[in-house]
Amino acid sequence: MGRGIAKRIIPCLDVKDGETVKGTNFINLRKAGDPVELGKAYSASGADELVFLDITASIEDRKTFKGIVTKIAKEINIPFTVGGGINSFKDVEELLYAGADKVSINSAAIRTPHLINEIAGKFGSQVCVCAIDARFENEEWYCYTKGGRERTNRELSEWAKEVEDRGAGEILFTSMSHDGVREGYANQALAMLADKLSIPIIASGGAGKLEHFKDAFILGKADAVLAAGVFHFGEIKIPNLKKYLSENGVNVRL
């Protein structure tokens, strides 16, 4: 594990009505602070990247709040991914112009898969992050849209392969069954994706303690691990996490 590309630690700002929130299994949201201040603090504390998701934009059928995106972008010096409410190529252009380095698409990708080809074709694969929210049901992983509210008939591994084939630069995989429960990531599903695909996989959903991050990298073969609550509420500090991972054979940027 020690060699090769460094593994990334990515805090995630789930934003609703201009405030950072954190839930369990995508519901029961509680407030976690000002996204601009949190973003600034994470950038200063050694986070490798930052993800901002406007979690109710798809439901409320509106665009992501570009003003907050611009404010955060001015305060950080790490790669910045923005998602939520992206429905068209024009939305992507506007968010990149507002200060995002990458965009994360989920509902729109499933609805209009060609959007992945368009983004990758115009801006390069590295700009297109495809988020996949899935839940394990009846021995299958099914993909969901609209912030986890609508189940689709797309199965995780076949959709992930299509996403890669269409040019997405990485996949942000959230296990809805593990989200906010703090009992670890969906390592079997992560390892399956890692073995099947050649693009990076970001693990999301399930961080509760230091070992969970290590397991996502070693057992789940993830390229990056995303977390929210444990960071927002100060339970795990990024410098401590990186030190722990480094001591346990995971190559991270210290």
Side-chain angles (χ1 to χ4, degrees), residues 16-128:
K16 179 179 191 285
D17 303 328
E19 275 204 88
T20 312
V21 293
K22 182 63 197 131
T24 304
N25 303 127
F26 281 46
I27 52 172
N28 302 328
L29 303 176
R30 58 179 173 142
K31 293 177 179 178
D34 173 58
V36 181
E37 291 307 313
L38 281 169
K40 189 176 176 180
Y42 289 137
S43 180
S45 71
D48 296 296
E49 299 191 17
L50 184 69
V51 168
F52 171 104
L53 299 175
D54 188 334
I55 59 170
T56 53
S58 289
I59 302 299
E60 294 166 9
D61 204 20
R62 60 167 171 76
K63 308 277 189 262
T64 296
F65 295 122
K66 290 195 287 290
I68 303 181
V69 170
T70 301
K71 282 181 186 164
I72 295 171
K74 285 179 176 157
E75 297 288 352
I76 65 174
N77 56 7
I78 51 177
F80 185 30
T81 301
V82 178
I86 297 171
N87 293 303
S88 67
F89 188 71
K90 183 171 179 291
D91 294 341
V92 173
E93 286 187 309
E94 287 178 0
L95 287 171
L96 294 173
Y97 188 70
D101 298 297
K102 312 178 194 180
V103 292
S104 168
I105 56 172
N106 181 354
S107 302
I110 287 181
R111 202 168 49 245
T112 48
H114 191 70
L115 184 59
I116 300 169
N117 305 66
E118 276 190 82
I119 297 167
K122 175 77 188 285
F123 299 111
S125 288
Q126 79 285 351
V127 167
C128 186

Side-chain angles (χ1 to χ4, degrees), residues 239-251:
N240 300 353
L241 170 60
K242 287 192 160 187
K243 182 170 181 284
Y244 166 83
L245 289 169
S246 181
E247 287 167 356
N248 282 273
V250 178
N251 178 21

Side-chain angles (χ1 to χ4, degrees), residues 104-163:
S104 168
I105 56 172
N106 181 354
S107 302
I110 287 181
R111 202 168 49 245
T112 48
H114 191 70
L115 184 59
I116 300 169
N117 305 66
E118 276 190 82
I119 297 167
K122 175 77 188 285
F123 299 111
S125 288
Q126 79 285 351
V127 167
C128 186
V129 178
C130 201
I132 302 179
D133 297 336
R135 191 191 289 278
F136 193 62
E137 300 165 305
N138 305 324
E139 304 303 306
E140 289 276 8
W141 282 95
Y142 287 101
C143 301
Y144 277 70
T145 58
K146 297 204 169 167
R149 285 168 178 83
E150 285 189 15
R151 184 179 137 164
T152 71
N153 60 359
R154 302 306 301 254
E155 188 273 324
L156 171 63
S157 62
E158 57 91 13
W159 173 235
K161 186 74 183 84
E162 180 176 334
V163 161

Side-chain angles (χ1 to χ4, degrees), residues 155-184:
E155 188 273 324
L156 171 63
S157 62
E158 57 91 13
W159 173 235
K161 186 74 183 84
E162 180 176 334
V163 161
E164 176 178 62
D165 291 344
R166 286 181 177 276
E170 49 191 344
I171 286 173
L172 167 54
F173 165 56
T174 301
S175 163
M176 294 171 60
S177 319
H178 294 68
D179 177 68
V181 183
R182 303 191 171 205
E183 290 177 358

